[in-house]
Amino acid sequence: MNRLSQACVSELPSDVSLPKYDRKQLKAGIVHLGIGAFHRAHQAFYTEAVLNKFGGDWGIVGCSLRSPSVRDQLAPQDGLYTLVERSGDGEKLQLIGAVIKNVVGPENPAELVSLMAQPNIKIVSLTITEKGYCHDPATGNLNSAHPDIEHDIQNLSHPKSAIGFLVAALAERFKSGTKSFTVLSCDNLPNNGEVLEKMIVQFAEKISAELAAWIKANTCFPSTMVDRIVPATTDDDRRDVEKRLGLRDEGVVIAEPFSQWVIEDKFSDGRPQWDQVGALLVEDVRVFEKIKLRLLNGAHSIMAYTGYLSGFDYISEVMNEPAFVNMVKTYMAREAGETIVAPAGFDIEAYKQQLRDRFSNKALKHRTWQIAMDGSQKLPQRLLESLRVQLKSNGNIDIICLGVAAWIRYVSGVDEKGNAIEVSDPFAAELRALSDANKDDAAANVRAIVGISKIFGDDLINEERFVLTTIDWLTRFRAKGVLDSIRESFL
Ligand code: CS2
């Protein structure tokens, strides 16, 4: 089967929508760090819509900071890939042309720095996942003991981390008198722009005070709320899409039809007209981030740990189980919902129902294991912020404790049948050691893990109601299993 490429676009079936602009004329305006499936189905999709409607020099250079796989998928395809929107109503296919080049940071770090320093680059956006920020999840401070950060401070011309690349490129622009770019964080962190600015400035201060001051005065770090469910592409997906296209596309991405992007409207040097193609440009995104992180991502994480341990591979299977649906509904109404004040005109009840419908989309194979990754980096903003609010008002914390207990059970690394769980988390070894040391004592297990202050802060270990309720859930999970415990409580 022939490979998708610019030369064979005309062979595609007529129901695949195609770029409406001249790709050959398209120049780069954006560098994106972390070009995984999410970026290709979200920010690149919005930028494609802008290019289709208005044109402009907003081509994307996609960068991988670790593996060459996306570059190897897209380079032989001239950067083209198919975005497939899937739901019960069928499929919609769109060929995306906005990515014009792909580079792999570790292959030539200096080249990527100089590319980011070019005056035509007006925005550097990021989807590097929570752990890519090399910060302390509980405080949001730069973790200067992180090996990549230590390396980058000593070797700024050959950085490894996204923070190092950004500071190196900003330093080049400072030196050459080039206008600064906008740094646009698109990861699921609250106040993501602010958090990133703090880390960039903390890092730059270690290089030079003048550079740090220049960055502060000249660089915008808008916060954003990004939303679209994008499961990792599988080989089955590639085979299905190959049949539909009549061409092999190694870079295909599968997503739900829904997408949302709320962006704080402050840019250093212009931006694509994303507001004309469905994105919401606002003065303050914090409330939107809070709503999404606590309701969507919080529910996702609870479903991921409880679902995985109950033997469900996919989120839609979790949503097929009435006890789990009741648990999610109650969590949205109570533990998370009570901590949120929605903006005027925002129908929060409709939003919650829409989330449950999105979770139930059987056409998406969204693995519980995928969402379960990196829990140590996710729980603070997804569950622990609501927990602190609820503890203050003596409010409902039961399902948050259930979620934390399920995570503690999950990171023990052994499932209920005695099989190994492949726990993917930067703190996996530490979590495993604490679980092993407290295998026969649920109370000691919870206290040991909740005592990790880089995840739980210094406060939560002293919140007895939280600790005891979590111990209670972990004890039940160990005695009866997760599925039966949840059925017993929520049916
Ligand atoms: C998920 C998110 O993997 C995860 O942790 O909760 O990727 C989620 O699918 C997106 O944030 C949806 O916008």
Side-chain angles (χ1 to χ4, degrees), residues 1-18:
M1 184 71 68
N2 283 342
R3 189 82 175 261
L4 171 68
S5 71
Q6 189 65 45
C8 48
V9 167
S10 58
E11 294 166 29
L12 287 167
S14 58
D15 60 346
V16 178
S17 45
L18 304 177

Side-chain angles (χ1 to χ4, degrees), residues 62-112:
C63 308
S64 307
L65 297 184
R66 287 166 197 277
S67 114
S69 59
V70 174
R71 189 272 319 274
D72 294 347
Q73 288 163 355
L74 296 189
Q77 304 182 178
D78 305 311
L80 291 166
Y81 62 91
T82 321
L83 168 63
V84 182
E85 292 180 11
R86 263 189 199 157
S87 69
D89 301 335
E91 298 195 319
K92 203 176 124 199
L93 277 69
Q94 179 181 3
L95 189 70
I96 305 275
V99 179
I100 52 177
K101 186 179 165 147
N102 280 276
V103 300
V104 181
E107 287 180 2
N108 194 342
E111 190 185 9
L112 175 53

Side-chain angles (χ1 to χ4, degrees), residues 428-439 444-445 448-452:
E430 183 176 348
L431 293 165
R432 177 67 192 251
L434 291 175
S435 307
D436 285 350
N438 297 289
K439 245 209 297 297
N445 192 352
I449 288 188
V450 171
I452 306 178

Side-chain angles (χ1 to χ4, degrees), residues 375-391:
S376 66
Q377 315 291 304
K378 292 174 174 172
L379 294 196
Q381 55 278 12
R382 295 181 178 206
L383 298 181
L384 306 182
E385 279 191 359
S386 315
L387 173 67
R388 288 190 175 90
V389 176
Q390 292 286 19
L391 282 169

Side-chain angles (χ1 to χ4, degrees), residues 188 226-229 292 296-297 300 366 371 378 382:
N188 284 316
V226 293
D227 191 7
R228 187 167 219 182
I229 295 177
K292 193 244 166 179
L296 187 158
N297 298 109
H300 247 176
H366 199 193
I371 301 166
K378 292 174 174 172
R382 295 181 178 206

Side-chain angles (χ1 to χ4, degrees), residues 19 29 31 49 55 65 112-113 130 207 239 254 261 327 339 345 355 395 400 414-415 418 475 480:
V31 167
L65 297 184
L112 175 53
V113 171
E130 297 85 349
I207 309 294
R239 268 193 296 273
I254 314 286
W261 197 7
M327 172 182 77
T339 70
L355 286 181
I400 296 176
V414 183
D415 73 12
T475 308
K480 296 184 182 145

